[in-house]
Amino acid sequence: MFNRSRRNLARWFTLSMGSILVLFAGVIYQIEIKEKLEALDRLLYDKTRVMAASVHYEVRQDQSQVDLSHVPLLGSGSHPLTEDLIYVRWYNAQGRLVRFFGASSPDQLNTPLGYLTVQSTDPLWEEKIWLRQATLPVEGRTGTLGYLQVATPLMETQQELQQLQMALTLTVPITLGLIALTGWILSGFAMQPIRQAYQQLQRFTADASHELRSPISAILTNAQLGLLIAVNDSHYHPPLENIVDSAKSMGTLVNNLLLLARHQGQLTPESLKLINLNGLLKSLVTQFATLAEQQTINLTYEQSEQLIELWADPDLLQQAIENLLNNACKYTPAGGTILVRLVPHPGWAVIQVIDTGVGIPETDLPYIFDRFYRVDTQRSQDSGGFGLGLAIAQQIVQAHSGHIHVTSEVSKGSKFQVELPLKPYQ
């Protein structure tokens, strides 16, 4: 139980911290992309501004005559901006291509103004490359003179981002591993006081239960002796019989508490024996057949043709199955049926106890294995139950590394299924 709680704490710690780590890494990556694109945009803007400043124009008859002869890359002068620009294009005010440098371009401006990441074909290597493109208007005294479109390759930026991505890909799993280790260690520290408190409570329950057994036995013996002495005096019979019933009930409760307190956690290999599950179930069904017959209940056993053996504590396993059968007999009305079935499964032995009893409401199903939980308090008290039978059955099954499940429907019955691993200690 504590190891499971520790694993759950460590798992949730790792999941929560890991999610934060992955989110943080993703945010860092997105911020880096944004910063690099903004740096490229500033570079393109500076180059575009230099080129726009070289555009000469004259206004004749309210028409601007643009002269591009002094514009770097587009004119006839020196080309100081050719290092990292793939192409430069000049579109007139109507969006038609007038002059360009670099890769061929469409005759009409068909991209929105501003900055874009586009894919183009390298004119030298005939390969697809990613570019950062800027399309900006050039304004004159009479309005827009035209549009400058420039583009620079993203290869260097992509390489830097790939390096960052590789670094994050390596560091995030390593950090996740460290987080998981830290979570496991911290959950161990966190479980220490809980474990100590639980062990103290367990010892107290065991000691108290053990100490109560003697006075309860004495009360029961004296009450039974009183009944024998007062056999001819009917006035003393009702109170003495009440004392006997109460003492038996208290004795059962103390024994159940002692059983729960003594068998916490996994069983030691020394306490396990190789048992024939077919024979054990047949013996238990035979034992309960008389009780079922008295209540006019049809109890049947559908055994497996395959011999099923497993390592278990025979007394405890018998106690668990008895609790399930006892429960089925209590809550199955006259004329009902109880079916005990042993189903072979690869690696597991599956025991099913199926009854046509009163059933369990859906809202109570998650709690029926809790200690002292009663589906119907009045009904449980009438049947003499304390709400410990299913809790004991679950604890015994879990002590054998098994599982217990229940499905039920009100007025139609219940199905308890016990799954036990086969020969886990061989």
Side-chain angles (χ1 to χ4, degrees):
M1 179 177 68
F2 292 105
N3 286 334
R4 187 170 65 251
S5 299
R6 185 180 182 182
R7 283 196 298 273
N8 287 335
L9 281 174
R11 185 182 300 116
W12 283 111
F13 179 79
T14 304
L15 286 175
S16 57
M17 296 301 294
S19 301
I20 294 173
L21 175 66
V22 171
L23 181 63
F24 180 73
V27 170
I28 291 291
Y29 187 69
Q30 292 299 324
I31 290 176
E32 188 68 15
I33 292 176
K34 185 179 179 182
E35 288 183 349
K36 289 191 175 302
L37 289 180
E38 286 178 350
L40 278 177
D41 292 345
R42 285 195 297 271
L43 177 65
L44 289 176
Y45 178 77
D46 292 341
K47 292 180 180 298
T48 307
R49 192 172 61 175
V50 171
M51 299 174 74
S54 303
V55 175
H56 296 170
Y57 68 96
E58 294 178 356
V59 180
R60 298 176 182 173
Q61 297 178 351
D62 294 333
Q63 295 292 325
S64 297
Q65 302 295 323
V66 178
D67 179 10
L68 300 176
S69 59
H70 301 286
V71 177
L73 302 177
L74 297 178
S76 57
S78 60
H79 298 161
L81 301 176
T82 58
E83 293 180 358
D84 51 4
L85 292 181
I86 295 297
Y87 56 76
V88 179
R89 298 163 182 169
W90 173 264
Y91 293 90
N92 62 15
Q94 289 72 39
R96 287 196 298 274
L97 181 66
V98 175
R99 196 172 296 179
F100 70 93
F101 164 80
S104 60
S105 59
D107 294 333
Q108 189 68 31
L109 180 63
N110 53 9
T111 56
L113 301 182
Y115 301 93
L116 283 177
T117 299
V118 297
Q119 194 175 38
S120 181
T121 303
D122 190 323
L124 182 62
W125 302 101
E126 297 293 333
E127 292 179 351
K128 295 289 185 182
I129 57 173
W130 287 99
L131 306 174
R132 188 64 174 172
Q133 173 185 283
T135 306
L136 301 174
V138 178
E139 301 292 340
R141 291 195 304 274
T142 58
T144 302
L145 300 177
Y147 302 94
L148 262 177
Q149 188 176 74
V150 298
T152 187
L154 284 172
M155 286 183 294
E156 185 178 349
T157 302
Q158 286 178 316
Q159 288 176 356
E160 293 175 355
L161 289 175
Q162 285 175 354
Q163 290 175 355
L164 175 62
Q165 195 175 31
M166 181 66 70
L168 292 175
T169 304
L170 291 176
T171 54
V172 167
I174 294 173
T175 309
L176 272 177
L178 293 176
I179 288 174
L181 179 62
T182 305
W184 178 254
I185 295 173
L186 290 179
S187 60
F189 287 129
M191 291 301 297
Q192 282 296 333
I194 300 174
R195 184 193 297 269
Q196 291 174 358
Y198 188 83
Q199 288 174 344
Q200 289 176 355
L201 179 62
Q202 183 181 353
R203 281 197 296 271
F204 170 77
T205 305
D207 294 342
S209 301
H210 182 72
E211 294 300 324
L212 283 172
R213 295 176 75 179
S214 297
I216 290 173
S217 298
I219 292 172
L220 180 60
T221 303
N222 286 311
Q224 290 173 334
L225 181 60
L227 281 174
L228 291 175
I229 294 174
V231 64
N232 296 323
D233 192 344
S234 59
H235 294 288
Y236 295 102
H237 278 203
L240 288 173
E241 286 175 349
N242 284 336
I243 293 174
V244 169
D245 292 339
S246 298
K248 287 181 178 178
S249 179
M250 289 174 64
T252 303
L253 176 61
V254 167
N255 288 334
N256 288 338
L257 288 174
L258 195 58
L259 183 67
L260 286 170
R262 282 179 174 173
H263 298 286
Q264 293 287 340
Q266 296 295 309
L267 300 173
T268 59
E270 295 77 17
S271 64
L272 303 179
K273 296 178 182 177
L274 185 62
I275 63 171
N276 180 344
L277 197 54
N278 307 60
L280 176 65
L281 290 180
K282 185 176 181 180
S283 171
L284 286 174
V285 170
T286 304
Q287 176 184 330
F288 275 83
T290 305
L291 176 62
E293 188 176 351
Q294 291 173 353
Q295 298 179 209
T296 325
I297 297 173
N298 181 24
L299 173 60
T300 56
Y301 173 42
E302 184 178 309
Q303 64 177 328
S304 168
E305 295 179 357
Q306 176 184 340
L307 175 64
I308 298 179
E309 293 181 326
L310 55 79
W311 288 88
D313 184 315
D315 295 332
L316 290 180
L317 187 57
Q318 179 172 331
Q319 177 71 54
I321 306 302
E322 281 181 354
N323 287 359
L324 295 181
L325 285 172
N326 192 44
N327 219 45
C329 289
K330 279 181 182 176
Y331 300 117
T332 300
T337 62
I338 300 174
L339 170 64
V340 179
R341 179 185 290 161
L342 178 58
V343 183
H345 193 274
W348 294 84
V350 179
I351 304 168
Q352 295 176 341
V353 179
I354 306 169
D355 65 63
T356 57
V358 295
I360 303 169
E362 188 176 354
T363 53
D364 292 308
L365 283 176
Y367 311 106
I368 60 167
F369 292 109
D370 293 349
R371 297 179 183 182
F372 297 107
Y373 186 81
R374 295 167 175 170
V375 175
D376 185 334
T377 305
Q378 184 61 40
R379 185 181 65 185
S380 299
Q381 287 175 344
D382 293 343
S383 61
F386 297 102
L388 288 175
L390 293 179
I392 290 173
Q394 184 191 46
Q395 185 167 316
I396 292 173
V397 171
Q398 290 178 345
H400 287 82
S401 303
H403 310 285
I404 184 169
H405 309 283
V406 60
T407 55
S408 184
E409 192 173 349
V410 175
S411 302
K412 291 189 176 179
S414 304
K415 173 183 175 182
F416 287 86
Q417 177 163 307
V418 176
E419 301 167 0
L420 297 168
L422 294 175
K423 304 176 181 178
Y425 295 99
Q426 278 191 336

